Amino acid sequence: MMLLSNMTDSAAAAGVPLSVDFSSPEDYFVFIFQILFATTTVLVAGTVVIGISATKALRLQNRFIFMLNTSICDTLVGFSVYYLGLFDVQDGYPSRNGTYGVFPSLLGVNILTFLFAQFDRYFAVCYPFVYSRFITRQVVIGLNIYCWVYNATHLLIRNMLPVSKAIQLYVFSIVFFQLIVLTKVLMTMKLYVVAKYQVEREPPGPERESKKESLKIIIFVVISFLLLWCPSFVNIAVKFFTGRGLTFRNEATNLLAILARFNAVCTPSVYIWRSPALREATVRTVWGRVCPRCRRRCGSCPKEDPRKASR
């Protein structure tokens, strides 16, 4: 109790109060939850980042480059929760102790990355010859960099405009992202059909299993992303277009924002769960160093086949 009270006093003195005042048991629950949530996100997503970055066989595969990009974004989301969840912050319009939209803009990076990843898997399975010729590793890296450049440019322009114009641009971006979400839904349905019929017609072997694995991962990840983010999307749209919608005291108590940020834990967890090669890499490069027993178990794991590097 004394420690939390001192933290509250010091934070208030610094100019940004904590998200709760510890006047009720719920406040303690919210504060502890945000700490655990942020730490879990950084550990899980950060593990994927280290595992892919430290494993050459994975870095050479296009699908893992997309995973790396989203996991970097998710790790930053985890770090952002240490501020958004622990301090009295309202990052939007109107803003209070906000970050000029920097942390919320991470959503845009993930949305575009998932969209490009869906098209990448579709062309890899349906048009393998065209894919292997034109969709090179450099092209995929360029697409991932574009996701960051686009969102950084959009954020910079929005912060340089007057508030009224910035709000209009923000509303336009919400509508634009809704169109992307619709495209993602259609692509998910298309990928499901591809995974069910196209891949099954191929002869059994490592190549077919790799395609099935990557298709299942992207479908599962996109569905979970849409389910977790749609409530927040809908609420933002309703507030801006009708003036109604749910309003919360700050980001720490915003249940819809918390649900949306949970995607930063769900996505890398799915990557590790559904990809044996990534699971082996994370055990060998991260958890094997922490737990020697995990390292010994990983010693008998099959290594990644470099021949699949182009996919």
Side-chain angles (χ1 to χ4, degrees), residues 141-204:
I141 293 176
L143 290 174
N144 283 275
I145 294 176
Y146 169 79
C147 295
W148 291 92
V149 173
Y150 172 83
N151 282 277
T153 303
H154 180 273
L155 182 64
L156 180 63
I157 294 175
R158 205 172 75 202
N159 285 323
M160 293 177 62
L161 292 175
V163 176
S164 59
K165 296 296 183 180
I167 293 177
Q168 293 178 4
L169 182 60
Y170 180 71
V171 173
F172 171 78
S173 66
I174 294 297
V175 175
F176 175 67
F177 280 136
Q178 295 288 353
L179 296 177
I180 293 181
V181 168
L182 177 61
T183 305
K184 288 163 69 67
V185 172
L186 297 177
M187 279 301 302
T188 301
M189 296 170 62
K190 184 68 175 179
L191 285 173
Y192 174 78
V193 174
V194 169
K196 189 173 182 181
Y197 297 104
Q198 181 86 8
V199 177
E200 293 298 334
R201 292 203 300 265
E202 296 187 6

Side-chain angles (χ1 to χ4, degrees), residues 11-37:
V16 182
L18 294 179
S19 56
V20 293
D21 56 10
F22 303 103
S23 60
S24 65
E26 291 80 8
D27 291 345
Y28 289 91
F29 172 79
V30 169
F31 197 77
I32 294 173
F33 169 80
Q34 295 292 346
I35 293 176
L36 295 177
F37 178 51

Side-chain angles (χ1 to χ4, degrees), residues 5-283:
S5 178
N6 292 337
M7 290 175 64
T8 306
D9 295 338
S10 61
V16 182
L18 294 179
S19 56
V20 293
D21 56 10
F22 303 103
S23 60
S24 65
E26 291 80 8
D27 291 345
Y28 289 91
F29 172 79
V30 169
F31 197 77
I32 294 173
F33 169 80
Q34 295 292 346
I35 293 176
L36 295 177
F37 178 51
T39 303
T40 301
T41 304
V42 171
L43 289 177
V44 176
T47 296
V48 175
V49 172
I50 296 173
I52 296 177
S53 301
T55 307
K56 184 178 180 179
L58 300 186
R59 295 198 310 271
L60 294 176
Q61 299 187 51
N62 293 345
R63 61 195 179 106
F64 284 105
I65 295 177
F66 287 111
M67 292 184 190
L68 176 62
N69 198 45
T70 59
S71 297
I72 291 174
C73 185
D74 292 335
T75 304
L76 295 177
V77 170
F79 281 116
S80 74
V81 175
Y82 284 116
Y83 179 69
L84 298 177
L86 301 184
F87 295 94
D88 185 30
V89 178
Q90 192 69 271
D91 212 346
Y93 296 101
S95 177
R96 184 176 69 254
N97 302 321
T99 63
Y100 299 97
V102 173
F103 291 152
S105 69
L106 295 173
L107 164 66
V109 177
N110 265 346
I111 284 182
L112 290 178
T113 304
F114 286 141
L115 183 63
F116 287 136
Q118 285 181 293
F119 281 108
D120 174 84
R121 290 299 88 199
Y122 175 75
F123 284 108
V125 175
C126 295
Y127 306 99
F129 297 107
V130 175
Y131 180 87
S132 60
R133 182 177 180 182
F134 295 103
I135 311 300
T136 63
R137 183 167 175 264
Q138 288 71 24
V139 170
V140 172
I141 293 176
L143 290 174
N144 283 275
I145 294 176
Y146 169 79
C147 295
W148 291 92
V149 173
Y150 172 83
N151 282 277
T153 303
H154 180 273
L155 182 64
L156 180 63
I157 294 175
R158 205 172 75 202
N159 285 323
M160 293 177 62
L161 292 175
V163 176
S164 59
K165 296 296 183 180
I167 293 177
Q168 293 178 4
L169 182 60
Y170 180 71
V171 173
F172 171 78
S173 66
I174 294 297
V175 175
F176 175 67
F177 280 136
Q178 295 288 353
L179 296 177
I180 293 181
V181 168
L182 177 61
T183 305
K184 288 163 69 67
V185 172
L186 297 177
M187 279 301 302
T188 301
M189 296 170 62
K190 184 68 175 179
L191 285 173
Y192 174 78
V193 174
V194 169
K196 189 173 182 181
Y197 297 104
Q198 181 86 8
V199 177
E200 293 298 334
R201 292 203 300 265
E202 296 187 6
E207 187 69 20
R208 189 180 79 166
E209 293 304 316
S210 176
K211 290 180 179 179
K212 287 178 62 177
E213 173 194 307
S214 60
L215 282 172
K216 289 179 180 179
I217 288 177
I218 192 63
I219 290 173
F220 197 98
V221 164
V222 169
I223 290 176
S224 63
F225 180 88
L226 295 175
L227 291 176
L228 293 173
W229 272 105
C230 273
S232 183
F233 262 149
V234 171
N235 188 57
I236 292 174
V238 169
K239 288 173 65 176
F240 274 101
F241 290 111
T242 68
R244 301 180 180 180
L246 299 177
T247 303
F248 300 90
R249 183 175 60 188
N250 50 38
E251 296 292 333
T253 58
N254 189 337
L255 298 179
L256 300 181
I258 294 172
L259 182 66
R261 294 189 195 106
F262 187 73
N263 178 78
V265 178
C266 181
T267 299
S269 299
V270 172
Y271 291 160
I272 297 174
W273 171 46
R274 298 296 303 179
S275 175
L278 178 58
R279 189 162 58 247
E280 175 211 339
T282 56
V283 171

